[in-house]
């Protein structure tokens, strides 16, 4: 997304997302559609989805576009920290644009940097008024400007909700 403007082909990216999501017969195909939409509109070097089970206080990586470094296996405890308050408590995006900021809340900052990433948006996905997942979008340091964050919220929130709702049915 050069110059922080919405891509001119957003309508085409959304059409492709809609067609792919409509044809999805398994969760991976549905998440692939959301990943492609994200990369075509906001931009991402790494894209993952973490679903949450708030009753059990567990998070699970249910999708990744880099299974070698970020596999979809197992669960991890949800930590009650600043990230949790922003994303769960306030239902706002968590944004960090340096590895130092990422390191404050994520233990894998070194791996994130090794992958050429240094900025992140964690977009909360709400279902029934509750946090159901986060869409985790990573790129080079400093990439997620205020305009890109606003674009991510505006362009990806509804597609993310649709994707998550569909994956629950598949």
């Amino acid at each position: 997304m050069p110059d922080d403007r919405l891509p001119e082909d957003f309508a085409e990216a959304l059409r492709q997302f809609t067609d792919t999501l409509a044809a999805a017969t398994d969760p991976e195909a549905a998440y692939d559609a959301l990943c492609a939409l994200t990369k075509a509109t906001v931009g991402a070097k790494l894209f993952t989805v973490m679903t949450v089970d708030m009753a059990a206080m567990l998070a699970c990586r249910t999708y990744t576009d880099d299974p070698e470094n970020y596999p979809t296996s197992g669960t991890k405890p949800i930590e009650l920290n600043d990230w949790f308050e922003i994303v769960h408590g306030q239902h706002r995006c968590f944004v960090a644009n340096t590895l130092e900021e990422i390191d404050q809340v994520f233990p894998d900052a070194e791996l994130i940097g090794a992958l050429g990433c240094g900025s992140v948006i964690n977009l909360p996905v709400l279902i029934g008024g509750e946090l159901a997942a986060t869409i985790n979008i990573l790129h080079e340091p400093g990439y997620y400007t205020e305009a890109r964050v606003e674009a991510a919220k505006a362009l990806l929130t509804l597609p993310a909700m649709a994707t998550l709702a569909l994956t629950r049915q598949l």
Side-chain angles (χ1 to χ4, degrees):
M1 196 169 81
D3 303 323
D4 288 345
R5 288 177 283 145
L6 296 181
E8 292 178 15
D9 59 350
F10 173 67
E12 179 57 29
L14 186 59
R15 190 171 15 265
Q16 288 178 6
F17 164 78
T18 302
D19 291 348
T20 305
L21 190 66
T25 58
D26 60 58
E28 186 165 354
Y31 287 129
D32 282 345
L34 183 61
C35 179
L37 178 66
T38 300
K39 288 182 176 188
T41 57
V42 179
K45 286 186 172 191
L46 175 64
F47 178 93
T48 68
V49 177
M50 296 287 291
T51 54
V52 296
D53 177 346
M54 294 310 299
M57 292 297 287
L58 293 173
C60 177
R61 186 176 302 109
T62 55
Y63 178 84
T64 181
D65 71 344
D66 184 353
E68 183 177 323
N69 290 297
Y70 284 95
T72 56
S73 60
T75 60
K76 65 179 185 178
I78 294 172
E79 294 184 34
L80 302 178
N81 57 18
D82 290 342
W83 180 94
F84 179 85
E85 176 55 30
I86 291 167
V87 175
H88 182 301
Q90 301 171 21
H91 297 162
R92 292 187 304 121
C93 288
F94 173 82
V95 180
N97 271 301
T98 68
L99 280 175
E100 292 77 21
E101 292 173 322
I102 290 170
D103 190 43
Q104 306 247 334
V105 292
F106 299 122
D108 57 344
E110 187 174 320
L111 175 57
I112 289 169
L115 296 174
C117 298
S119 59
V120 63
I121 300 172
N122 299 124
L123 178 72
V125 182
L126 306 177
I127 303 286
E130 297 294 324
L131 181 67
T134 60
I135 306 303
N136 310 305
I137 313 162
L138 291 90
H139 215 299
E140 64 197 29
Y143 185 81
Y144 293 118
T145 62
E146 187 175 325
R148 285 190 173 113
V149 173
E150 291 305 312
K153 291 188 292 190
L155 301 176
L156 300 175
T157 297
L158 187 56
M161 291 171 67
T163 301
L164 193 64
L166 177 62
T167 62
R168 290 179 167 192
Q169 300 299 312
L170 295 175

